Amino acid sequence: TMPIHRLKPNSLATLVACLAMLLASCSDRPAYNKSYAIAHEVWHPADTLSFDFCVKDSLAKWDYDMLALGKHYGLKLILRYTDDYQYVSMPVHIRIDTLGSYELHPKPTRPATWSWHMQDEFDINGIRISFADTGLHHIKVYPDTELTGISSFGLVIKEK
């Protein structure tokens, strides 16, 4: 006969906690995530980035890069830059369909362990997005002034 192995109470509690964290992290995925490379690492005010996504009445399990009607979402900006970026903030304008325009000034961290390429993520706490109609929607982003040293700019929309 084969021996029967039983989980000790501590092992069982650890297993349950790991499964709960795994399930929670699966539901925390972004609803929309897109980045653009910036040509020649110079982002001009005329170079408007357009983030296009679809809003649906309801979402199926595998509907990625789509948002649900009536849900509330928050924004995160992702900035990749080189050591040529010499500014203390990144002045950008964001226009969300007809919901409104915002001017933001996130500040890159420039840590002591500076490398040639950096990436910063900025949670935008003051903006909550909710859509009242289905279909294609747009978020437009452009800088306030010419920004050098920017290699890419990304936008993440997550459910709040």
Side-chain angles (χ1 to χ4, degrees):
T1 65
M2 294 185 80
I4 298 175
H5 297 283
R6 297 182 192 259
L7 289 176
K8 295 180 183 177
N10 283 348
S11 299
L12 183 58
T14 302
L15 178 63
V16 169
C18 288
L19 287 173
M21 286 189 329
L22 180 64
L23 289 174
S25 68
C26 290
S27 64
D28 196 31
R29 70 171 176 79
Y32 178 85
N33 185 350
K34 186 170 184 176
S35 292
Y36 285 102
I38 305 298
H40 310 294
E41 296 183 352
V42 178
W43 191 12
H44 301 277
D47 298 334
T48 300
L49 304 178
S50 182
F51 298 88
D52 304 322
F53 51 91
C54 188
V55 174
K56 294 175 67 174
D57 284 329
S58 62
L59 300 179
K61 184 176 182 179
W62 303 109
D63 281 345
Y64 293 108
D65 287 344
M66 293 187 185
L67 280 63
L69 187 68
K71 295 241 183 204
H72 292 281
Y73 296 94
L75 288 178
K76 179 187 283 191
L77 308 180
I78 300 174
L79 173 68
R80 292 196 74 205
Y81 55 96
T82 68
D83 52 3
D84 290 336
Y85 189 77
Q86 298 298 316
Y87 308 98
V88 295
S89 71
M90 180 189 61
V92 294
H93 295 271
I94 295 179
R95 177 149 188 84
I96 304 169
D97 274 346
T98 58
L99 299 177
S101 294
Y102 306 89
E103 185 175 341
L104 305 173
H105 295 271
K107 296 177 171 45
T109 56
R110 296 192 182 278
T113 57
W114 176 258
S115 67
W116 179 76
H117 231 114
M118 289 296 302
Q119 177 172 314
D120 273 326
E121 297 182 6
F122 305 99
D123 283 315
I124 308 302
N125 295 321
I127 301 176
R128 288 178 58 97
I129 307 168
S130 182
F131 296 95
D133 57 338
T134 59
L136 188 63
H137 290 268
H138 315 278
I139 295 178
K140 307 278 187 193
V141 180
Y142 60 92
D144 195 30
T145 186
E146 184 177 282
L147 301 176
T148 58
I150 304 290
S151 56
S152 72
F153 181 89
L155 181 71
V156 175
I157 302 174
K158 288 183 87 168
E159 192 172 336
K160 285 285 185 183

